[in-house]
Amino acid sequence: MGESKYVPGLEGVVACQTRLSMVDGARGRLVIGGYDVDQLAERASFEEACTLLWRGALPAKEEVPGIRKELAALRALRPETLDIIRTARNAPPIDALRMACATLSLDVSNPNDLSGAGDLAMAKRLAARFPTVVAAHSRLRQGLDPIPPRPELSMAENFLYMVFGEKPHPAAAKALDTYWVTVIDHGMNASTFTSRVIASTRSDMVSAVTGGVGALKGPLHGGAPGPVLDMLVDIQSADRAEDWLKKELAAGRRIMGFGHRVYKVRDPRAEVLARAAREMAGADLHNKKLYDLACAVEQIALRVLEEHKPGRNLKTNVEFYTALVLQSIGLSPDQFVAMFACGRVGGWCAHVMEQHGQDRLIRPQSEYTGPIHETTRA
Ligand code: COA
């Protein structure tokens, strides 16, 4: 093997082969399971997108009700999981989700079954239960009882029902479904890589996904949309945006919702989610003023960032419009990253299955920069 060179942040390093998604950063293209992200978001529900990743093809129309029914039957949480969420009710939602996630193998006879069938069964449980965990936490932290899931509702409808206690407006359920499909998978992002590294040791899916939740939490990955909303609220009106942004940059802070390790043009998911936010504004479910402000701030930020880092191509990423979509369906900023996890879990599970199939330990090397002490050997 030739001598390999340390690459900070593993930038540009190809860490695995995958059939799950392709990110073309130069052209701004994201292909998930063979479909461009905008097409997939238009034609598939979250349940169908999970099926696409887990078995390699979208389900036929007549299969969809059965798939939905099977996932819906797995939504309810065990009392032990609810106890953990109750104990963690004052923790941020993403931390409560991480703690609860680790308990989701409790009712499986062999959680260490890494066969295709074992992994698939676990993937269905995880995807079905993540929204129930986030909804239960949302209720418990308000001093309210969790609302049991309703199996006849879609995953997105049921989540909103479990949070708000009533069947949601169809446009809100559609926006959430679009969001989850849009973020379901995205190449070798940090949390997916984390899950794959764990799976590569022949560890189980719940362990791998729990690690993925931990990696997603950070503001450089999934934790950005909360701060995006805070930024818009703070800016208040478009005429204040330029000053606000310049002050942030002068203070050495990053503008959330902009820049990407791979995309050097606008993130294609931003396009899909901007449309979803616009539709919510059109359906009068969204604060139209906030949407208009976001559009104006986006343009000003792109100009200010180009002046700040000429030629770096710091463009709008997925998190900018995520903030608007999730706010429009009534969620609070500290819940946004947990909502991201409810979508990305479909991709994490698919990557764990793929990694178990490849069965190759991921074990890179490090470059030692410490001292070497001369010792006298007897
Ligand atoms: N605001 C201000 N400056 C930014 C920036 C942002 N949003 N994103 C990158 N930069 C700057 C960096 O500070 C760096 O400057 P330097 O070379 O003078 O140190 C330069 O642009 C290049 O960025 P780089 O550090 O190479 O990018 P990266 O690949 O490490 O980072 C992100 C990618 C996403 C982590 C980064 O763009 C970022 O922090 N964005 C804000 C958080 C966010 O929106 N995260 C969600 C990602 S989907």
Side-chain angles (χ1 to χ4, degrees), residues 76-88:
L77 302 177
R78 283 179 65 95
E80 295 88 337
T81 303
L82 279 168
D83 284 346
I84 297 267
I85 303 169
R86 194 169 286 111
T87 309

Side-chain angles (χ1 to χ4, degrees), residues 179 215-232 254-260 317-324 326 333-338 340:
Y179 169 67
L216 184 75
K217 171 184 167 178
L220 298 191
H221 189 4
V228 166
L229 197 64
D230 297 339
M231 167 177 78
L232 294 174
R254 294 185 176 203
I255 308 301
M256 294 293 128
F258 295 88
H260 198 274
N317 66 42
V318 64
E319 309 293 22
F320 191 75
Y321 285 99
T322 288
L324 289 201
L326 296 183
D334 71 343
Q335 293 176 304
F336 292 177
V337 60
F340 191 166

